[in-house]
Structure formats: C-alpha cells, structure tokens
Amino acid sequence: MASPTKPLIADDIEIVRRILAHIDAGTTDEGPSWREPVENYLDTTRFGREMRLLRAMPSVFLPSAAIPDPGDHAERAAFGVPLFAVRGRDRRARVFRNACRHRGFALVEGAGCAHALVCRYHGWTYRLDGSLAHVPHQEAFPDLDVPARGLVEVNSHEVDGLIVIEALDSALEPRDDALAWLTDGTPRRDKLLPAQRLVYVDSTVRRMNWKVLVEQFLEGYHIRSTHKDTFFPLQYDDLNVVEMFGPNCRLTFPYRNIERLRDRPESTWTTDARVTYLYQLFPNVMLATFPDLMLMIVVDPVDVERSTVTIYSMARPELAERANSADGQYNPAAVGTLIARGSVEDNEMSEGVQRGLSSGANAFVEFGRHESAAGHFHAVLDERLARYAGDGSARDLSGILSS
C-alpha cells in the first residue's frame, strides 16, 4: 500500500485547484485508454471465472447505518451467497451465512430487529452472536453438538461506516492487499461518516451484465448527451478529477457553483455541496455523495446478463429526523427527483449498451483517455483473474494498475 505519510487522495483545496484549472483550460484528467473484448461481457465461462474470483475476494457488504443498534439485522446475497449481518449486544457487527443449521432455511428475511434469531421453519433459535440457544424437542437429536452448531460466521471488519467481508470461498487464500485497501477508511471517512442514518433501501434486478452497470458510474464524458436536462445544467460535461488508490478509485464530478470559490481565500475552500464524489470500491460497490445525502450502490452479478442493484440511501441525522416526522417513508431518490431522473437516464444507456453487445458490430468496447477509471476497473479485474487462476494470462497492465 501507499506510504502512510503520503495522502491517498487529494484534500478539498487541491481538488478545487485542479477543477478550476480544468475549467480554465477546457481539459479533464486523463489516463490510459482501454479496449475490453465484447466476449468478456457475453461468455458464460468468463462469467463463471469472475464469480469464483469475486467469492475469493474481500468486498463491502453493508453500510453500518443498516444495523445501527443491537438486534438490528439485514440480509443480502453477495455474489450468489446468502448472507446477513447483525449487531450484537456488545455492539459488534457480525456477518453470517444465511442458513439455519438444522435444515438450511434462510434465517433472516429482509431487515428487522430482534432479541434473538428464530428460524420460522422449526423454531431453532440463535443468540445475536450466532451461538445456538434453543432447539425444540432437543431430545430428538441425540448426537447434536450444540456448541458446534452455531451460525457459520464470515470474517468481517467494520471500518468508518462500512462492513467489509473477507473471502466467501475459504478454499482460496487472499493473494493481494485488497482487504487492506478496503479497511483503510482514510479516503472516504470525512465524506461518508456524516451520513449516519439509513433512510431507504431499494433492490432491483436489471437485465445487464454487472460490468456494464459498474461502468456507468466511472466517467463524466456522457453528462451533456445523456443528462442534458438533469445533471448537465448543474455540472460540467467531461470534467473529472480521477484518483486511484490500489484497486479502487475516486472520481470528482464538480457542480457549476464551484466557481464561486474563485474570489474567496483558499483557506476557506470546501467541496461541500460543490461536487459529487464517486468512490468505486473494487469490485462492485459505489459510494456517491450528494448534499446531505450519500448513496451506496451494490451491483451483485446474477448471471451473464442479469444483475441485482441494491441502493442504500443515507442522510445526515438532521435531515433524517425531518424525514421521520413526515408522513410515509422518506426516499430521497424517489420517482421524479433529480437523482432518480438521472438514474433512469443512466440505466437507459446501459440497457442500450447491453443490447448492442450482442449485435456483432464490435469486437471490443472502447474506453478513451477521459474514461480512464473504467479502464482501471477492467485492468484490475483482468490482473486478478490471471493471478487467481495462476495461468499468467493477464494482459500487459503496466502504467494502468496502481496496486
């Protein structure tokens, strides 16, 4: 990893300097271009390799805000593996495989809060630390080893507002420092932690390859043409600051009001309400900041052409309190809002890309120098696929990988 004396990402003042310089010069951050073979989006064998890799890597599971209090629990299928997280009486967040140790019934369904976890099928009951507490008619199981039949835990770490899980495939040992990069919260800490309250969760299956969905977040080259009536009046087309930290990256999307800082002392500069930060936490999680709001977007591959997109909307406490006092459930990305309209536009474009992949028109997908974050994502994925396969087949990634 980077030297502890060297910041992983720029501070607000440096970000503003770089943005204003780009505005004046009509430029944007540039990096290596990339060509991704169309076959890599369509081939089921490649998809199977990707899923094996994803299960062998650490990843972000949930925001801490999803389970703030003891007894709170929430579930999600990560890379096809049913899991849930629960906050214990000791306030520690634990992640378990979502299966009762009796017959494998899904123990947690949706989100909730409970003093104990009770299987709806036969009533086997587990404490919040995962230990088996009660078996109805236990005498019918003469060989039951109660201490050994607690829930199966997945190693996890709670760091700066995120719950990070280790590899789901225990047969594969981690071969890089991806976990260290995810558990170092310094790049995101001051941007994420203020949004402490979960206010809405939405999960949708979309008919798109998971990589197509990730790509839509990783460039601002499309702002004018895709978002002409939504984001473009507020933001700049094709103007981003792009920063890599290990396999992850951060893109800064500036708002036009950032130019009001020109005549103010640099010591007072802040990016609050003047940019959207987009953190891509490899492999499948995006954190997007908005004024008083943060979204955590998780893209879970289902098959080669379907993905589940789960969006966790989090707000600053004062906004959440106002929302709780209103009638109904507060959804900051509800239909008709600016964020929702922009999301619809992005998904329309990604759906078009997915259809076009099967047209036979292209042998590869083109990412230019202004789309370097997307290229970095594919480069990291290629390198790790080769590393875990041990076949040495990775393409030449020199100058692209920073991990």
Side-chain angles (χ1 to χ4, degrees):
M1 290 183 59
S3 165
T5 61
K6 180 182 178 182
L8 296 176
I9 57 172
D11 61 17
D12 281 11
I13 292 175
E14 179 59 24
I15 288 292
V16 175
R17 285 182 188 142
R18 290 171 66 174
I19 289 169
L20 294 180
H22 280 316
I23 293 171
D24 293 341
T27 55
T28 188
D29 276 12
E30 293 187 345
S33 58
W34 183 266
R35 288 179 170 177
E36 183 67 11
V38 165
E39 183 181 12
N40 286 353
Y41 299 89
L42 304 177
D43 182 65
T44 55
T45 300
R46 160 81 180 210
F47 178 80
R49 290 180 59 216
E50 291 173 352
M51 287 295 278
R52 288 191 293 273
L53 170 70
L54 297 178
R55 291 172 183 150
M57 292 195 61
S59 62
V60 176
F61 181 56
L62 286 177
S64 298
I67 53 168
D69 300 313
D72 287 344
H73 51 268
E75 53 87 18
R76 201 190 102 228
F79 314 126
V81 180
L83 305 174
F84 74 90
V86 60
R87 179 102 35 211
R89 299 183 191 281
D90 57 2
R91 304 202 67 84
R92 177 183 160 195
R94 296 175 175 86
V95 178
F96 298 99
R97 294 177 185 266
N98 194 5
C100 177
R101 298 304 305 282
H102 172 216
R103 298 270 290 278
F105 187 82
L107 191 63
V108 170
E109 300 168 277
C113 185
H115 296 295
L117 302 167
V118 182
C119 179
R120 288 199 301 115
Y121 198 177
H122 296 94
W124 284 37
T125 302
Y126 303 85
R127 301 177 184 89
L128 299 182
D129 64 3
S131 59
L132 182 58
H134 173 66
V135 175
H137 303 291
Q138 186 173 332
E139 70 278 4
F141 302 89
D143 298 324
L144 180 65
D145 184 351
V146 171
R149 292 298 286 277
L151 298 174
V152 178
E153 187 170 0
V154 174
N155 290 334
S156 63
H157 309 262
E158 187 171 20
V159 181
D160 293 320
L162 298 180
I163 299 170
V164 176
I165 56 174
E166 295 187 17
L168 295 173
D169 187 343
S170 58
L172 293 174
E173 294 295 329
R175 303 182 193 177
D176 55 37
D177 55 4
L179 179 63
W181 285 111
L182 287 181
T183 54
D184 182 349
T186 53
R188 63 178 186 265
R189 183 178 298 132
D190 62 330
K191 309 303 179 188
L192 170 60
L193 289 183
Q196 298 172 352
R197 302 286 183 85
L198 183 70
V199 293
Y200 198 79
V201 180
D202 178 73
S203 188
T204 306
V205 176
R206 300 199 174 277
R207 296 197 66 84
M208 286 171 266
N209 182 277
W210 74 282
K211 299 186 294 293
V212 172
L213 281 160
V214 171
E215 290 162 2
Q216 71 175 229
F217 297 95
L218 300 184
E219 43 88 6
Y221 180 44
H222 69 287
I223 298 294
R224 183 195 300 268
S225 55
T226 299
H227 302 299
K228 63 179 181 180
D229 297 319
T230 50
F231 296 151
F232 180 58
L234 304 174
Q235 296 179 305
Y236 299 89
D237 180 56
D238 198 22
L239 196 169
N240 298 112
V241 172
V242 181
E243 302 166 278
M244 313 302 183
F245 51 105
N248 314 303
C249 71
R250 184 177 80 167
L251 287 82
T252 305
F253 295 82
Y255 306 158
R256 295 181 185 273
N257 66 7
I258 201 165
E259 296 201 54
R260 297 176 188 171
L261 298 179
R262 289 184 184 275
D263 299 325
R264 302 180 187 179
E266 281 194 4
S267 60
T268 67
W269 284 0
T270 174
T271 58
D272 290 349
R274 300 190 189 280
V275 308
T276 282
Y277 288 112
L278 189 289
Y279 295 82
Q280 196 261 324
L281 302 181
F282 191 84
N284 67 322
V285 170
M286 277 63 62
L287 307 176
T289 68
F290 299 92
D292 299 319
L293 178 69
M294 197 202 76
L295 304 182
M296 174 172 149
I297 305 107
V298 185
V299 180
D300 276 308
V302 175
D303 55 37
V304 73
E305 61 180 18
R306 290 185 303 157
S307 307
T308 299
V309 180
T310 305
I311 302 176
Y312 301 89
S313 299
M314 290 163 281
R316 295 176 183 269
E318 58 271 22
L319 177 60
E321 291 298 330
R322 293 199 301 270
N324 289 339
S325 65
D327 293 334
Q329 188 177 19
Y330 172 62
N331 179 6
V335 174
T337 62
L338 182 69
I339 293 174
R341 289 161 56 205
S343 178
V344 167
E345 292 165 345
D346 279 328
N347 286 321
E348 286 177 352
M349 298 303 107
S350 294
E351 288 164 0
V353 168
Q354 184 69 38
R355 290 192 299 271
L357 291 173
S358 301
S359 70
N362 298 309
F364 52 82
V365 176
E366 187 91 60
F367 298 97
R369 293 181 58 82
H370 295 187
E371 302 166 285
S372 61
H376 179 261
F377 162 69
H378 284 289
V380 172
L381 181 59
D382 263 17
E383 189 270 343
R384 276 152 176 73
L385 282 169
R387 184 186 300 180
Y388 277 80
D391 59 11
S393 63
R395 284 186 278 168
D396 181 11
L397 310 180
S398 58
I400 297 177
L401 290 178
S402 57
S403 59

